[in-house]
Amino acid sequence: MEIQSLDALITRRGADEADALRTAAKDEAARILAAAMQRVEERRNAQRVSRATTLDAASAAERAAARHAARVAVSEARARCVDRIFAAAHARLPAVVSTPAGAARLEADLHEALDYLPPGAATVFTAPAAADVAHRTVAAQRPGTRVDI
């Protein structure tokens, strides 16, 4: 009987060791699977971050381009507006300067503007219609200042 109980003991011990090995293998497989899943999740997150960064950069570039285009459009619109204002002013200037009140107003404005110029020679640009008033005013207030038409 001892042989049978020894065989049973060996068999039982082998079964216990096999169970322990199986349990250890399952635990190791679970750890490996968990680590693999964690690496997959980290890669996914890294890809999401990379994609988000790329999209953010592209979005920022598009916003900057749109802002630049808007600034250019506004600047061009302002330039066109100023051009229309100057064209209208040049068209009306001869009629305004031909009246005594208009000539006196232009002379007063020119006197005030000349006060802002630094001392020394300067050049005043004027429209042909205002040339006579500009020459008289500049000669009286700032000798040596040139009037260009």
Side-chain angles (χ1 to χ4, degrees):
M1 281 234 194
E2 277 186 35
I3 294 182
Q4 234 181 10
S5 51
L6 188 56
D7 283 341
L9 183 60
I10 291 172
T11 304
R12 185 180 186 119
R13 205 172 203 198
D16 288 345
E17 286 178 9
D19 284 344
L21 284 173
R22 251 186 260 116
T23 302
K26 283 181 183 178
D27 290 347
E28 182 64 19
R31 279 193 300 274
I32 291 170
L33 180 61
M37 294 303 288
Q38 184 177 357
R39 284 193 304 274
V40 167
E41 190 60 30
E42 288 170 357
R43 285 182 189 154
R44 282 184 186 151
N45 286 338
Q47 287 174 343
R48 282 187 201 119
V49 168
S50 175
R51 177 87 170 129
T53 302
T54 300
L55 291 175
D56 286 349
S59 175
E62 288 176 15
R63 285 191 313 271
R67 281 193 298 271
H68 176 72
R71 282 193 296 272
V72 167
V74 167
S75 293
E76 289 172 350
R78 284 181 181 156
R80 286 191 302 273
C81 182
V82 168
D83 288 345
R84 285 194 305 270
I85 290 169
F86 277 114
H90 279 275
R92 293 180 185 159
L93 189 61
V96 171
V97 175
S98 66
T99 66
R105 182 71 235 164
L106 178 61
E107 188 174 333
D109 288 344
L110 197 50
H111 270 292
E112 184 180 347
L114 290 172
D115 288 339
Y116 290 102
L117 293 177
T123 302
V124 175
F125 294 92
T126 186
D132 291 337
V133 174
H135 279 291
R136 279 195 315 272
T137 305
V138 169
Q141 187 175 346
R142 298 270 314 243
T145 298
R146 223 172 80 195
V147 176
D148 284 350
I149 300 170

